[in-house]
């Protein structure tokens, strides 16, 4: 039977031989019958290597076992536990290195439509929760209407005359019945119509959208469709596709241009499926939906939008 010695063992021999003639290396083949190679089964040779310093105690000793399966080898010549079939797991991709991503493209019928490369500086940026928090606060504050209003003492309805004399009645002195302490009176320091918007730099807003897209891509919750065309306006088409998805509670569909009428009608009665054009894609909507489906056109327009220089 053929005998092989690992490269690591040979390299160790070469490094030791370069030290000079003070060291000697001995390699000998040991048969399995002497009891030193029982772990590999009967008839499997092993290699025992030792390095000694002349006239002194042992300096280094190592033992290597190796075997080569040949057509003449029997089934019991190699341990069965080492031949067990196991799924080879690829190392997880490190997130946030701005590397381009290649993902498959499909459609509502789960047909293979090829692949698409996603720009790394948009779909693979480092995840920063603080940026997401700032963008969400800015977005929610800006969309607040701020139409709340209360009436002051000059705006409330009622007379302005003094209710009773200043002295002589034994009651507390008052100059009007429309003060905040009376029923139907004014509200002091109440809200007035105003804007709740806060300032946030454009580059921070843009970075927030990149982080949200990168998070969905890292989770495997970003899918790219060739287009968002459906055969009919029936709601069951969307519901059947949604039921095929795993671990999905809310779905966001993003198209490049105006939303087609069929897609609007098919999704308007399904509260867990929403549709947006690419120009309206935002961080808060991405966070509200755990799965994001984008068309090719939408991806191209988002990348173009992220690469457009910021007007100052």
């Amino acid at each position: 039977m053929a005998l092989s010695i690992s490269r690591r063992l040979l390299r160790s021999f070469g490094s030791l031989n370069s030290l000079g003639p003070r060291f000697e290396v001995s390699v000998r083949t040991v048969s399995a019958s002497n009891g030193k190679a029982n772990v590999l089964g009967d008839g499997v040779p092993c290699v025992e290597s030792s390095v000694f310093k002349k006239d002194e105690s042992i300096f280094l000793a190592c033992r290597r076992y190796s075997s080569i399966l040949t057509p003449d080898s029997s089934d019991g010549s190699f341990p069965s536990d080492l031949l067990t079939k196991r799924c080879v797991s690829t190392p997880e991709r490190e997130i946030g290195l701005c590397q381009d991503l290649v993902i498959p493209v499909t459609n509502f019928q789960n047909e293979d439509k090829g692949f698409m490369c996603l720009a790394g500086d948009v779909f693979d940026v480092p995840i920063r929760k603080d940026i997401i928090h700032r963008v969400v606060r800015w977005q929610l504050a800006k969309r607040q209407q701020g139409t709340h209003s209360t009436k002051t003492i000059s705006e409330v309805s009622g007379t302005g005359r003094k209710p009773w004399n200043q002295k002589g009645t034994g009651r507390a002195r008052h100059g009007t019945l429309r003060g905040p302490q009376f029923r139907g009176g004014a509200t002091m320091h109440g809200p007035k119509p105003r804007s709740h918007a806060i300032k946030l730099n454009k580059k921070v807003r843009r970075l927030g959208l990149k982080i949200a897209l990168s998070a969905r891509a890292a989770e495997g919750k970003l899918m790219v469709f060739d287009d968002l065309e459906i055969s009919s306006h029936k709601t069951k088409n969307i519901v059947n596709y949604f039921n095929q998805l795993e671990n999905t509670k809310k779905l966001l569909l993003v198209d490049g241009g105006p939303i087609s009428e069929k897609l609007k009608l098919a999704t308007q009665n399904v509260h867990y499926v929403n549709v947006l054009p690419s120009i309206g894609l935002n961080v808060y909507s991405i966070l509200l939906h755990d799965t994001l489906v984008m068309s090719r056109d939408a991806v191209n327009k988002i990348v173009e939008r992220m690469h457009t220089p910021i007007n100052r």
Side-chain angles (χ1 to χ4, degrees):
M1 181 180 291
L3 178 65
S4 67
I5 302 177
S6 64
R7 295 181 179 178
R8 184 180 299 176
L9 185 61
L10 292 177
R11 286 198 298 267
S12 63
F13 288 162
S15 61
L16 290 175
N17 290 335
S18 63
L19 296 177
R22 295 184 61 191
F23 299 93
E24 60 178 4
V25 179
S26 61
V27 179
R28 65 179 184 274
T29 301
V30 183
S31 174
S33 60
N34 59 7
K36 293 184 178 181
N38 291 336
V39 293
L40 295 181
D42 297 335
V44 180
C46 67
V47 178
E48 181 181 354
S49 60
S50 303
V51 180
F52 298 95
K53 197 171 183 180
K54 288 187 177 181
D55 301 332
E56 291 186 15
S57 59
I58 296 177
F59 173 74
L60 172 66
C62 61
R63 183 173 298 167
R64 302 281 188 227
Y65 297 98
S66 62
S67 64
I68 297 178
L69 293 179
T70 62
D72 300 332
S73 302
S74 61
D75 295 338
S77 58
F78 205 84
S80 59
D81 56 335
L82 298 181
L83 294 177
T84 303
K85 293 182 179 180
R86 288 182 291 179
C87 297
V88 179
S89 60
T90 58
E92 295 184 358
R93 180 180 63 87
E94 189 172 352
I95 303 172
L97 298 181
C98 296
Q99 297 177 348
D100 293 347
L101 309 178
V102 178
I103 63 174
V105 180
T106 180
N107 56 13
F108 285 114
Q109 290 75 34
N110 293 324
E111 298 175 351
D112 185 12
K113 295 295 183 178
F115 296 88
M116 185 173 189
C117 181
L118 303 181
D121 57 347
V122 178
F123 293 91
D124 189 28
V125 300
I127 306 299
R128 290 186 55 184
K129 295 182 180 180
D130 60 317
I131 298 294
I132 294 292
H133 178 257
R134 292 176 61 187
V135 175
V136 170
R137 283 189 64 248
W138 167 80
Q139 189 172 338
L140 295 182
K142 190 173 181 63
R143 80 174 188 178
Q144 190 170 347
Q145 289 184 351
T147 56
H148 38 50
S149 179
T150 56
K151 290 185 177 182
T152 63
I153 196 170
S154 62
E155 297 170 340
V156 71
S157 176
T159 180
R161 70 179 290 270
K162 188 176 178 65
W164 50 77
N165 293 335
Q166 182 81 356
K167 292 177 174 292
T169 63
R171 304 184 67 181
R173 50 197 174 188
H174 291 290
T176 179
L177 292 179
R178 292 298 167 236
Q181 69 271 34
F182 292 108
R183 177 181 176 271
T187 300
M188 302 305 295
H189 310 293
K192 282 293 185 179
R194 67 183 180 92
S195 173
H196 293 266
I198 58 178
K199 183 180 180 299
L200 190 65
N201 293 339
K202 291 182 179 179
K203 59 170 60 178
V204 180
R205 303 181 221 164
R206 180 173 293 185
L207 179 59
L209 184 57
K210 292 180 181 180
I211 293 173
L213 293 173
S214 300
R216 287 292 176 260
E219 295 169 351
K221 293 291 187 176
L222 173 64
M223 293 179 287
V224 177
F225 278 14
D226 192 35
D227 53 49
L228 297 183
E229 296 297 330
I230 54 178
S231 57
S232 69
H233 64 282
K234 294 293 185 180
T235 305
K236 64 181 180 181
N237 296 330
I238 298 296
V239 174
N240 292 337
Y241 174 75
F242 181 84
N243 293 333
Q244 298 175 6
L245 301 176
E246 297 180 356
N247 301 325
T248 300
K249 294 183 179 180
K250 295 193 71 175
L251 177 65
L252 179 62
L253 305 175
V254 183
D255 203 355
I259 307 300
S260 64
E261 290 298 325
K262 289 183 179 180
L263 190 59
K264 284 182 181 179
L265 294 174
T267 58
Q268 67 180 359
N269 290 333
V270 186
H271 67 276
Y272 48 82
V273 179
N274 294 310
V275 187
L276 278 179
S278 61
I279 192 64
L281 185 62
N282 57 86
V283 174
Y284 191 63
S285 296
I286 295 176
L287 296 181
L288 286 181
H289 301 79
D290 52 9
T291 302
L292 180 63
V293 176
M294 303 178 66
S295 63
R296 282 182 184 267
D297 190 23
V299 172
N300 293 331
K301 289 189 176 181
I302 289 295
V303 172
E304 181 182 1
R305 187 169 119 197
M306 294 296 104
H307 290 167
T308 303
I310 298 177
N311 296 327
R312 298 187 181 276

